[in-house]
């Protein structure tokens, strides 16, 4: 997939995800994650991971971004960018969370060790979560 053709807004998404990563609340893991979703009507909504002293309450950046967008009235998403230091792949819980909205969602995997504007890897959610559970 050619990134500029498949997702011309990838730079804006990357910028938003990287900026949100700076707000991560990650005092326990020190693992900061940023995410930004692109809504079908062209809006970009970002999120970061939010940890808690009761570890199991931690929320991943992807779910924060989607939830923030839903709260703003957007429920149709074409893409999400995930930014972190290293190789970012959404966890299993986030894959299931994302598939609710668009099984073919484009996912940008952005390693912040690379200079900004370095094209992130592009995958489809259906590649990361084949045969996903959905209520029929
Ligand atoms: N985390 C995310 O934000 N997204 C993922 O897809 C994987 C993990 C967060 C949760 C926790 O705050 C930290 O990364 C370490 O697991």
């Amino acid at each position: 997939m050619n990134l500029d053709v498949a997702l011309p807004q990838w730079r804006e998404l990357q910028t938003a995800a990287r900026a949100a990563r700076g707000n991560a609340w990650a005092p326990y893991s020190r693992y900061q994650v940023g995410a930004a979703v692109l809504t079908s009507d062209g809006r970009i909504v970002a999120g970061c991971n939010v940890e808690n002293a009761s570890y199991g309450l931690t929320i991943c950046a992807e779910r924060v971004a989607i939830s923030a967008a839903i709260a703003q009235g957007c429920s149709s998403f074409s893409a999400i960018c995930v930014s972190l230091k290293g190789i970012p792949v959404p966890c299993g819980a986030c894959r299931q969370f994302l598939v609710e909205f668009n099984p073919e969602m484009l996912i940008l995997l952005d390693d912040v060790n690379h200079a900004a504007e370095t094209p992130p890897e592009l995958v489809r959610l259906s590649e990361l979560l084949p045969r996903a559970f959905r209520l029929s």
Side-chain angles (χ1 to χ4, degrees):
M1 260 187 290
N2 179 301
L3 189 51
D4 284 307
V5 172
L7 192 55
Q9 310 90 328
W10 70 265
R11 288 180 184 78
E12 290 94 308
L13 263 189
Q14 182 194 54
T15 301
R18 287 188 177 207
R21 180 175 171 271
N23 297 326
W25 182 255
Y28 306 105
S29 72
R30 303 269 171 214
Y31 196 75
Q32 298 175 294
V33 187
V37 288
L38 179 66
T39 69
S40 302
D41 59 0
R43 282 187 268 178
I44 289 176
V45 184
C48 58
N49 53 331
V50 183
E51 298 186 347
N52 190 273
S54 177
Y55 296 164
L57 298 182
T58 291
I59 318 173
C60 292
E62 296 91 324
R63 281 178 280 156
V64 171
I66 291 274
S67 301
I70 294 282
Q72 291 179 27
C74 311
S75 56
S76 182
F77 307 103
S78 51
I80 185 167
C81 177
V82 184
S83 298
L84 55 80
K85 219 175 249 181
I87 298 169
V89 275
C91 76
C94 285
R95 295 176 197 196
Q96 179 64 34
F97 199 85
L98 295 173
V99 89
E100 175 85 8
F101 301 100
N102 178 2
E104 295 303 325
M105 197 181 299
L106 296 174
I107 304 188
L108 285 176
L109 305 172
D110 177 41
D111 180 349
V112 303
N113 286 319
H114 300 147
E117 300 252 321
T118 305
E121 188 184 344
L122 179 66
V123 294
R124 273 195 193 276
L125 181 54
S126 56
E127 293 172 55
L128 298 183
L129 189 63
R131 301 190 67 181
F133 170 74
R134 306 189 85 191
L135 283 179
S136 48

